[in-house]
Amino acid sequence: MEALATELQVDPAMPGLLSVCCLAAACQPWAILRVREGWKEQLSLYGVAVAPPGERKSPCLSALEWPLLHYEGERMRREAGEVKANQSARKILEGQLSKAEQAAASGKAGTEQAMSLARELADFEDIYPFRMVLDDATPEKLTDEMARQRGCMAVVSSEAGTFDTMMGRYSDKVNLDIYLKSYTGDPVRVDRVGRAGCQIDNPRLSLILTAQPDALADVVQNKQARGRGLPARFLYVVCQSKLGFREPSPPPAPA
């Protein structure tokens, strides 16, 4: 991380914290930490590097996020055929069920077949395109995507949009449940009027963010966020400015 800090001429605390959070995002689907008997912790981390404008937050985060995005892209390409075949299988099954139901409703033979197809469709397991990283997503979209990805997701953002979304930018109310429960792995149950609900037994979320001081202050000073313990879940680094002290031609970080 010192090499990246030197190349970008940023406070080493910035890549230091963000790299640990990216590592947590990569490991959280596969492992848990056993502190002692009866005490387990999942590997999800919430981290934010705080720095004023012009401190190269975006290039630093992009360099550390790249392995996650590369892995995500490779899996999406590798599994694209399987996902498409799964989607076709569902459509075929739905079409067969529709025809069988119509035949049964008209008094023709087919009631048993319709019941059998209905049970098969109820047990059908959907396969979704693999996602590992989201950026600016509403709590509702984040919840749905985590349910599709067996409970795991990372939100990576170099802007304050994630904090704005938490505070209700797209809604008239603050919705913090998915962020609070995913930190400790508490089960998530969502029921919606007019939309399918979702269930996540063991949500695991990593938040990897950079922000300007004013944007962070809006969250830390928010009465509802503080009252429910959201700011206390984050690791923070307040980065020392390098403006006026940067080397003009620093050595590049090793590939």
Side-chain angles (χ1 to χ4, degrees):
M1 293 305 101
E2 289 185 4
L4 181 61
T6 299
E7 178 185 3
L8 296 178
Q9 292 292 283
V10 297
D11 185 342
M14 184 186 297
L17 174 67
L18 298 178
S19 63
V20 171
C21 291
C22 286
L23 183 61
C27 295
Q28 65 182 2
W30 318 112
I32 60 172
L33 175 64
R34 185 188 296 273
V35 182
R36 55 174 169 78
E37 188 64 32
W39 181 6
K40 299 177 182 178
E41 295 285 348
Q42 61 188 39
L43 299 184
S44 305
L45 283 181
Y46 292 3
V48 55
V50 185
E55 291 299 328
R56 301 178 178 174
K57 298 185 291 295
S58 294
C60 183
L61 188 56
S62 295
L64 296 169
E65 178 190 17
W66 181 85
L68 302 179
L69 296 178
H70 178 72
Y71 176 72
E72 178 186 78
E74 286 295 312
R75 275 198 59 173
M76 289 180 72
R77 285 187 288 272
R78 187 169 67 247
E79 298 172 1
E82 183 181 3
V83 171
K84 189 65 176 177
N86 176 265
Q87 293 171 344
S88 296
R90 169 174 276 281
K91 290 180 181 179
I92 292 170
L93 188 57
E94 289 173 339
Q96 291 174 338
L97 176 59
S98 178
K99 290 180 180 179
E101 287 175 336
Q102 290 174 9
S106 63
K108 301 176 182 178
T111 301
E112 247 185 70
Q113 182 187 16
M115 295 297 183
S116 176
L117 288 169
R119 286 190 289 268
E120 187 177 348
L121 187 59
D123 294 335
F124 188 88
E125 185 172 352
D126 291 299
I127 300 175
Y128 298 97
F130 178 74
R131 296 295 305 274
M132 190 175 190
V133 177
L134 293 178
D135 185 350
D136 187 10
T138 65
E140 294 76 17
K141 174 62 177 177
L142 174 60
T143 303
D144 289 344
E145 196 60 49
M146 289 180 67
R148 292 176 176 179
Q149 304 301 326
R150 302 182 184 276
C152 282
M153 188 56 60
V155 173
V156 184
S157 180
S158 60
E159 301 296 335
T162 298
F163 286 130
D164 293 338
T165 301
M166 288 180 181
M167 296 299 104
R169 177 172 60 177
Y170 299 115
S171 174
D172 58 354
K173 61 179 180 179
V174 177
N175 184 357
L176 302 178
D177 285 356
I178 188 63
Y179 306 105
L180 298 173
K181 291 183 176 181
S182 297
Y183 184 80
T184 53
D186 295 336
V188 174
R189 302 288 187 273
V190 178
D191 297 301
R192 304 183 182 116
V193 176
R195 289 183 57 195
C198 69
Q199 173 179 322
I200 310 174
D201 292 329
N202 180 212
R204 286 147 289 166
L205 175 65
S206 287
L207 293 177
I208 309 165
L209 311 173
T210 63
Q212 298 178 18
D214 289 346
L216 181 63
D218 291 340
V219 178
V220 174
Q221 295 171 6
N222 181 277
K223 184 177 180 179
Q224 186 170 348
R226 290 183 62 185
R228 300 189 64 186
L230 179 65
R233 284 163 164 79
F234 278 87
L235 299 173
Y236 301 89
V237 293
V238 180
C239 303
Q240 183 176 359
S241 176
K242 291 286 186 176
L243 289 175
F245 299 93
R246 293 187 175 128
E247 298 179 24
S249 302

